[in-house]
Amino acid sequence: MKIITKNAKVFGVLLLIVTIIVVIGLAIRFFQIAGTKQVDGHNLTSATRAAFIQNQQDPATRGKIFDTNGKVLADNTTTYNLYAVLDKTQKQGNKPLYVVDKEETAEKLSRIINMKRSKIYKILSQKNLKQVEFGTAGKNLSIAVHKKIEDLKLSGISFTAQPARTYPNGRMASHLIGSVQSKENATTGQTKLSGLMGIEAAENSLLSGKDGIKSYAGTTADGQASEAAKNGDNVYLTLNSDLQNTLETKMDKLFSDTKPSGIVAVLAEAKTGRVLAASQRPNFDPNTKKGLQDEWQNLLTQGAFEPGSTMKGITLASAIETGNWQPNATFQSGTMLVDGKQINDFNKEMGVISYREGFWRSSNIAFAKTQQKMGANTWYKYLKKFKFLQSTNSGLLGEEKGSIAFNYPLEQANTAFGQGISVTPLQMVQAYSAIANDGKEVKPYFVDKISEADTGKVVKEGKTEVVANPIKKSTAQAVRKEMIDVVNQKTGTAREFDLRDAGYQVAAKTGTAQIAKNGRYLDGLSNAIHSVVVLAPEKDPQYIFYMAITAPQKFVDTEIQVTMNKLYRPLMLQALNSSTKAVKSKTTKVTVPDTVGKSIDSAKHTLSNRGLRVAVIGSSGKIKAQSLNPNQQALSNQLIILTAKDGNTLMPNMTGWSLTEVQEFAKMANINLNWTGSGYVTSQNVSATQQLGKWSNITVKLKQKE
């Protein structure tokens, strides 16, 4: 029998008391933590949630790029990278998730991707690899190609998807609109698009938007902790797609005919600086980057070159402004010596002529002597006044400011006729705007506005900016008068650019600049930069056109100006013939009504009453879509294309339609389009009201308005 001593009893009582105290203390602490949710100053709820909550990036959608009338120039899409699983442990139940039949897989894939069957089979037959890819042939596959491969239901063939950019008009204004590149976030593994060049790069921060964060407590989204993504803003350019299409078509022909190293052309509004059309060759396809290796630079603002005699218009303006122009005085043309070195006229047989004639016949001697009268300091001051040797700050990245050799009298004389000084086309357009605008020099610009994609709120707006007043109104008018002679005189160098037969008097100046190589100027017309600047119409210029073609290797006409005119004339006439309408349209804007859900007749009646033209895809049922969104601003007489729910599409009467309108209808109606000419439709091979089937072929002929 066990005997419990007195000491043991005391110890037991003490142990019980201590235990009770500890339990009470723990209980108090427990209730304290439960009430305050604090441990040593740390928030227990936050710590627990931090261990339980997962954050996921919510990517912003990149903004779109539109032309001035709302036509999409850059949009978003998805591309796919193809891969094959070789790991035989990858199964879903008994279903294999790896490539089972390599021969069949190689055979079927070779019909779709740009890779031979044998090479695909070799890739699929590699040992000790769990997964393989197919190089460039399997990357950036379109939605259509992705679907074709998916439909094959090949075991072990799968894809990764990533955001991509699509450019519906392909090479159109490619260097100006630009392109993007994909960048992968090392932390999240997500791919994001970033502007590589052009407007895509210049406005990248606004186009990109801001990614959001989605927080999850377990599998439940935590709204309070999440931060919504702000989608990128939409950019509206000043480009007019109708004029741009004409320019692109004619540029292709000129580039093919003359085989030059490069061409650049730009048409801008003289009074505002808005660039309506601009292009260059070589260009590239921003969807594939094909052709980009031929020319990375945007020739509007980069690759500055010696302008040649188009600079004489600026020299003339400076001389008139400073009282150093004597149009009726005479001089001996042909050659002259400056510092013992010879300056030559292209035509050395002109003899003794007046300075006025020297301008219209483009005498280098006339302008070397004029520069000497002005003096080097005065001439240099006016070059700066006209904003040469500095960026136009157009907004495009990497814009060059040009350069000059101006240390010696010969160099100073050379710059007066456009040698020894380098400029960009945009600088020339800006400088000549002072001559067009009675002394006010305006900055060229490309962005009409940038607005929030979700709300339409304008966050940035392009506007006319007067950057200088280098000459008086009377001087500008006097220069334009002299430039008329360059066009109208029988020996004028710009006579090929005459538009009087179409009812327009224009003012122009041509240029032929020798190309320098290894410190010396090369001889021959194939080693020159041929350019022209035109102000139209002369009395109150609405447009400035500038074009330069570098080192043409083929001459298909008697003079290069004849060939250049084949691009200039249709483009300028298209702009001039629609200018009254365009001005009227700017003051006559209408709000697009919502016709979705209405009958065809009701929708047509509603739109016609708003002053809009209508074309319909389908012939029965309610309207299910319209080409312009409800409440969007449209120009009076603009074409709206409606899509009906049912019925066959009937061929509309396209007479008077622009090429852009015909292209949009063909795309929406799934028909094949061919065209000849430029401007507006004059005839069509399928008569109006004739039924069109899917992928029908139609051909239209276009012509400039007289």
Side-chain angles (χ1 to χ4, degrees):
M1 182 177 177
K2 193 172 183 179
I3 300 173
I4 300 174
T5 66
K6 183 179 180 180
N7 289 339
K9 288 182 178 181
V10 172
F11 177 77
V13 171
L14 290 174
L15 182 61
L16 177 62
I17 293 171
V18 170
T19 301
I20 292 171
I21 292 171
V22 170
V23 170
I24 292 172
L26 289 172
I28 292 171
R29 183 59 172 154
F30 174 79
F31 286 113
Q32 184 183 45
I33 291 172
T36 65
K37 298 180 176 61
Q38 297 282 329
V39 179
D40 295 332
H42 298 286
N43 189 297
L44 187 60
T45 302
S46 299
T48 305
R49 283 165 55 86
F52 192 56
I53 287 178
Q54 293 181 340
N55 288 335
Q56 181 178 327
Q57 194 170 46
D58 180 20
T61 300
R62 190 172 180 84
K64 299 178 183 181
I65 300 177
F66 300 87
D67 81 343
T68 189
N69 291 321
K71 306 290 185 185
V72 177
L73 302 178
D75 205 345
N76 297 306
T77 187
T78 301
T79 59
Y80 299 86
N81 292 341
L82 177 68
Y83 69 92
V85 177
L86 304 182
D87 183 2
K88 293 185 178 181
T89 66
Q90 297 300 309
K91 295 181 180 180
Q92 187 177 39
N94 293 323
K95 180 183 177 182
L97 299 179
Y98 55 88
V99 176
V100 175
D101 191 330
K102 297 173 185 176
E103 285 279 4
E104 179 191 21
T105 302
E107 174 63 31
K108 290 185 175 180
L109 283 180
S110 67
R111 299 174 191 169
I112 300 175
I113 68 172
N114 187 27
M115 185 177 283
K116 292 181 179 180
R117 183 202 63 80
S118 58
K119 188 169 183 180
I120 296 175
Y121 182 79
K122 185 177 180 180
I123 290 173
L124 296 175
S125 300
Q126 295 178 86
K127 304 295 183 182
N128 303 319
L129 291 179
K130 294 186 176 183
Q131 183 175 303
V132 292
E133 296 181 347
F134 299 89
T136 55
K139 290 188 179 298
N140 299 316
L141 302 179
S142 67
I143 293 173
V145 171
H146 167 258
K147 186 177 186 305
K148 283 183 180 180
I149 297 174
E150 284 273 275
D151 289 345
L152 296 175
K153 300 187 183 304
L154 295 171
S155 174
I157 295 299
S158 194
F159 304 86
T160 57
Q162 56 274 323
R165 205 69 158 156
T166 181
Y167 301 87
N169 299 293
R171 291 174 175 258
M172 188 180 94
S174 55
H175 283 81
L176 176 56
I177 297 168
S179 63
V180 297
Q181 59 186 340
S182 298
K183 291 187 175 181
E184 185 176 301
N185 187 310
T187 304
T188 65
Q190 289 184 327
T191 299
K192 191 172 180 66
L193 300 177
S194 178
L196 178 65
M197 60 190 299
I199 295 295
E200 291 275 30
E203 302 296 348
N204 185 62
S205 60
L206 292 175
L207 283 165
S208 295
K210 184 180 179 182
D211 292 340
I213 298 292
K214 283 185 178 179
S215 295
Y216 292 88
T219 59
T220 305
D222 186 343
Q224 289 184 338
S226 296
E227 181 181 339
K230 182 191 179 301
N231 290 330
D233 299 323
N234 291 331
V235 176
Y236 290 80
L237 301 184
T238 58
L239 295 183
N240 178 303
S241 287
D242 290 339
L243 294 171
Q244 187 70 38
N245 271 319
T246 298
L247 176 58
E248 298 289 352
T249 301
K250 298 303 179 183
M251 186 81 87
D252 283 338
K253 177 68 172 169
L254 181 62
F255 191 60
S256 173
D257 284 348
T258 59
K259 301 291 188 293
S261 62
I263 312 175
V264 60
V266 56
L267 178 71
E269 287 182 347
K271 299 188 183 306
T272 66
R274 297 175 74 249
V275 174
L276 302 178
S279 193
Q280 69 179 67
R281 295 294 181 275
N283 60 355
F284 72 100
D285 185 345
N287 294 297
T288 63
K289 304 292 195 300
K290 185 177 180 181
L292 186 55
Q293 71 280 359
D294 297 328
E295 182 57 80
W296 272 87
Q297 291 184 315
N298 183 339
L299 299 182
L300 287 172
T301 57
Q302 297 172 317
F305 55 87
E306 295 176 73
S309 294
T310 48
M311 182 59 75
K312 289 172 183 171
I314 307 303
T315 313
L316 174 61
S318 305
I320 293 174
E321 184 75 8
T322 57
N324 289 293
W325 180 246
Q326 297 174 299
N328 297 320
T330 60
F331 68 98
Q332 176 64 52
S333 66
T335 63
M336 70 177 286
L337 294 177
V338 177
D339 270 359
K341 295 183 180 178
Q342 200 170 67
I343 291 177
N344 298 310
D345 281 328
F346 180 76
N347 180 356
K348 297 180 181 179
E349 308 299 326
M350 292 184 289
V352 177
I353 58 175
S354 69
Y355 280 89
R356 180 186 173 199
E357 185 174 350
F359 181 66
W360 86 59
R361 298 183 72 173
S362 203
S363 166
N364 293 339
I365 306 304
F367 283 84
K369 289 180 176 292
T370 299
Q371 182 273 320
Q372 289 177 334
K373 290 176 185 176
M374 278 193 290
N377 290 338
T378 298
W379 170 227
Y380 188 81
K381 181 175 72 173
Y382 272 87
L383 284 172
K384 299 290 283 187
K385 279 190 172 187
F386 274 99
K387 299 294 181 181
F388 288 106
L389 306 175
Q390 57 187 287
S391 168
T392 68
N393 296 313
S394 64
L396 295 175
L397 303 183
E399 182 172 350
E400 296 180 10
K401 63 181 182 179
S403 61
I404 192 170
F406 205 78
N407 294 319
Y408 304 103
L410 179 63
E411 294 174 338
Q412 295 155 6
N414 283 341
T415 60
F417 51 86
Q419 300 277 182
I421 181 172
S422 67
V423 303
T424 66
L426 225 55
Q427 286 176 325
M428 292 298 286
V429 170
Q430 179 173 273
Y432 267 91
S433 72
I435 297 170
N437 292 324
D438 292 340
K440 294 179 181 178
E441 186 168 330
V442 298
K443 182 173 82 171
Y445 67 96
F446 303 99
V447 176
D448 254 345
K449 66 178 180 180
I450 300 177
S451 59
E452 292 182 348
D454 300 328
T455 66
K457 178 184 176 182
V458 176
V459 298
K460 182 178 177 181
E461 194 163 14
K463 61 181 180 179
T464 300
E465 182 181 345
V466 177
V467 295
N469 292 274
I471 54 176
K472 298 188 294 289
K473 178 179 179 179
S474 59
T475 299
Q477 292 173 338
V479 175
R480 296 203 302 269
K481 184 177 179 181
E482 299 279 6
M483 289 174 68
I484 289 175
D485 286 338
V486 185
V487 178
N488 292 2
Q489 294 289 345
K490 289 183 179 180
T491 52
T493 59
R495 60 190 178 278
E496 298 299 339
F497 302 97
D498 189 1
L499 295 181
R500 283 177 294 171
D501 62 319
Y504 299 105
Q505 176 65 66
V506 302
K509 185 69 192 81
T510 58
T512 304
Q514 293 171 283
I515 296 173
K517 186 176 181 180
N518 299 326
R520 58 177 291 270
Y521 286 111
L522 304 178
D523 295 325
L525 294 176
S526 292
N527 294 311
I529 300 170
H530 305 271
S531 60
V532 64
V533 59
V534 182
L535 310 181
E538 176 277 328
K539 192 169 185 179
D540 184 22
Q542 300 298 310
Y543 302 104
I544 301 174
F545 173 81
Y546 182 83
M547 174 169 61
I549 176 169
T550 301
Q553 298 305 299
K554 289 183 67 178
F555 293 84
V556 295
D557 296 297
T558 53
E559 295 179 344
I560 189 66
Q561 286 81 10
V562 176
T563 313
M564 293 166 69
N565 183 54
K566 294 174 184 177
L567 182 152
Y568 151 80
R569 183 181 177 88
L571 179 66
M572 184 60 85
L573 284 179
Q574 184 178 346
L576 288 168
N577 288 334
S578 61
S579 62
T580 301
K581 175 182 172 183
V583 171
K584 182 179 178 182
S585 296
K586 286 182 181 178
T587 58
T588 314
K589 288 191 175 183
V590 296
T591 301
V592 177
D594 187 356
T595 62
V596 174
K598 292 188 175 185
S599 68
I600 294 175
D601 288 342
S602 175
K604 290 170 71 173
H605 180 73
T606 299
L607 293 169
S608 296
N609 282 345
R610 294 287 181 95
L612 299 167
R613 293 181 293 129
V614 186
V616 182
I617 295 169
S619 56
S620 62
K622 303 291 186 182
I623 299 300
K624 65 177 183 179
Q626 57 189 61
S627 59
L628 292 182
N629 294 327
N631 299 317
Q632 181 177 334
Q633 291 295 299
L635 301 177
S636 178
N637 205 43
Q638 190 167 340
L639 179 69
I640 308 293
I641 302 172
L642 304 177
T643 303
K645 187 176 181 181
D646 301 304
N648 296 311
T649 298
L650 304 180
M651 180 69 178
N653 181 357
M654 292 182 168
T655 301
W657 286 26
S658 69
L659 177 58
T660 301
E661 291 171 339
V662 178
Q663 288 174 324
E664 184 173 15
F665 181 86
K667 181 179 179 181
M668 292 177 66
N670 291 323
I671 56 178
N672 295 314
L673 172 66
N674 299 292
W675 73 89
T676 59
S678 62
Y680 300 88
V681 175
T682 57
S683 65
Q684 56 196 62
N685 70 325
V686 178
S687 58
T689 72
Q690 186 172 328
Q691 183 175 311
L692 295 172
K694 190 174 182 181
W695 304 119
S696 293
N697 292 292
I698 66 169
T699 300
V700 297
K701 291 183 179 180
L702 301 103
K703 187 179 180 182
Q704 300 299 329
K705 291 181 180 178
E706 298 297 335

